[in-house]
Amino acid sequence: TGPRESTVPPRSGSASSVRVEAPGKVNLFLSVGAPGPDGYHPLTTVFQAVRLIETVTARRQSAQDHGTVTLTLEEPDADVPVDESNLAVRAATLLAQTTGVSEGVDLLLRKRVPVAGGMAGGSADAAAALVACNALWGTGLSLPELSALAARLGADVPFPLTGATAVGSGRGDLVTPIMTRGAYHWVFALAEEGLSTPAVFRRFDELTGGGQPAVRDVPEALTAALRAGDTRALAASLHNDLQAAALDLRPELAEVIAVAEEAGALRAIVSGSGPTIAALVEDPGSAQRVSRALKASGQVADVLRADAPVAGARVVG
Ligand code: ATP
């Protein structure tokens, strides 16, 4: 694949801004292995990109701002840093350093993925920033080159570049797209307080003595369900090794799962490292009933509905 991938438009020349959208994700399957000598857990996962869309607009700076990367949130949020620790800022900085660009950029970020919810919103922002700056600066990196940079920013950053549905191996950063049919409908129950991904992995290690020596392969039943577009079969195959750890840290999430399933969800599971609960439903009507029941339960901070799969990071303006 060359530099003319659909996500990587040709040199933009004099465009003064580039707007990019990138999706959040849900893990349909997550098997976690024992950490290696580097401390990282090997894992096998199936990512599905959901229609909760982050938007990053990269704006060219005036000459006097030369070389700085700034970030503004469309809606200020105390839980999202706007300094150099923001993943989108780190992504732009890494791309500039790698390609020798001395120009800076002003990033504007609109968030729709819940923060610290186990849905990789920050990773989507980083992926979007890579694609936006690559176009703005005309650095012309190919999708595989951007994926390699993405993996240096975090294990979950390569997937939102690709989007749709994919198997993640290694630390989740080695992404292989898989064939699926149809649309799936999700209801996401948000918690008031986020969960730290490292804290969930630590509890996982405490509960399991470090995880299984070898990660499990993606079950054939799950890939067959996706190929067939069979929502019920997919529901039966959903699995998350981190669920027990997340429920141990937040016992009240078990009640949220029960509410969703009693209201007709085919299955409800912890999304990634949580605390978001992802409920797979048969159709939009069921999504409405599950959503209503979750809101009425008083157990959740908010409820979002989204269909899936959707495309990876792409230039929209
Ligand atoms: P993952 O599922 O990849 O582990 P997550 O979805 O649980 O991640 P994020 O919302 O991506 O969590 O971010 C977790 C933390 O990272 C936040 O609490 C925040 O302090 C920090 N952070 C850095 N950059 C961002 C960003 N662009 N958006 C949100 N949080 C960010």
Side-chain angles (χ1 to χ4, degrees):
T1 44
R4 298 295 153 103
E5 293 282 346
S6 58
T7 50
V8 186
R11 283 174 174 275
S12 63
S14 57
S16 62
S17 77
V18 177
R19 194 166 82 248
V20 172
E21 292 183 351
K25 58 83 181 168
V26 61
N27 299 81
L28 306 178
F29 175 81
L30 179 56
S31 169
V32 181
D38 59 2
Y40 284 107
H41 294 79
L43 50 90
T44 300
T45 188
V46 178
F47 296 112
Q48 188 175 62
V50 302
R51 202 182 301 283
L52 295 179
I53 304 292
E54 303 281 272
T55 308
V56 171
T57 306
R59 289 210 177 95
R60 203 177 289 290
Q61 288 176 331
S62 58
Q64 57 266 38
D65 296 322
H66 205 72
T68 58
V69 176
T70 73
L71 181 125
T72 307
L73 287 171
E74 199 176 271
E75 290 154 29
D77 180 336
D79 295 329
V80 179
V82 293
D83 62 7
E84 60 283 354
S85 69
N86 190 292
L87 265 176
V89 174
R90 290 181 48 212
T93 305
L94 179 64
L95 178 65
Q97 282 167 354
T98 311
T99 57
V101 164
S102 57
E103 208 182 317
V105 66
D106 293 330
L107 302 173
L108 176 67
L109 173 57
R110 179 173 113 155
K111 291 198 65 76
R112 288 294 178 266
V113 176
V115 176
M119 299 191 72
S123 300
D125 302 340
L130 285 176
V131 171
C133 293
N134 192 42
L136 186 77
W137 293 332
T139 38
L141 264 56
S142 67
L143 183 57
E145 287 167 334
L146 290 178
S147 286
L149 287 189
R152 288 169 56 189
L153 293 162
D156 280 349
V157 182
F159 172 68
L161 285 173
T162 311
T165 310
V167 175
S169 57
R171 293 187 287 129
D173 53 326
L174 304 171
V175 171
T176 310
I178 54 175
M179 224 283 283
T180 75
R181 182 172 281 120
Y184 300 87
H185 303 278
W186 293 95
V187 178
F188 297 105
L190 278 47
E192 199 62 63
E193 276 275 301
L195 263 177
S196 138
T197 303
V200 175
F201 273 96
R202 274 197 300 278
R203 184 54 59 94
F204 172 82
D205 288 340
E206 288 160 11
L207 292 174
T208 61
Q212 53 227 325
V215 288
R216 282 169 55 201
D217 284 335
V218 178
E220 172 53 28
L222 189 146
T223 46
L226 288 169
R227 265 198 312 277
D230 184 337
T231 308
R232 283 177 179 273
L234 176 63
S237 305
L238 295 174
H239 174 78
N240 182 358
D241 267 359
L242 292 178
Q243 175 150 326
L247 292 184
D248 194 64
L249 291 167
R250 293 284 171 79
E252 65 275 20
L253 293 178
E255 178 63 23
V256 178
I257 290 174
V259 169
E261 292 184 344
E262 276 158 26
L266 300 172
R267 271 293 285 296
I269 62 166
V270 170
S271 174
S273 54
T276 303
I277 298 298
L280 183 61
V281 297
E282 184 86 66
D283 51 40
S286 176
Q288 206 164 24
R289 288 188 290 279
V290 170
S291 172
R292 222 179 286 131
L294 285 166
K295 283 179 187 159
S297 75
Q299 305 267 352
V300 303
D302 201 1
V303 180
L304 299 174
R305 280 187 262 164
D307 65 321
V310 297
R314 64 201 177 96
V315 175
V316 294

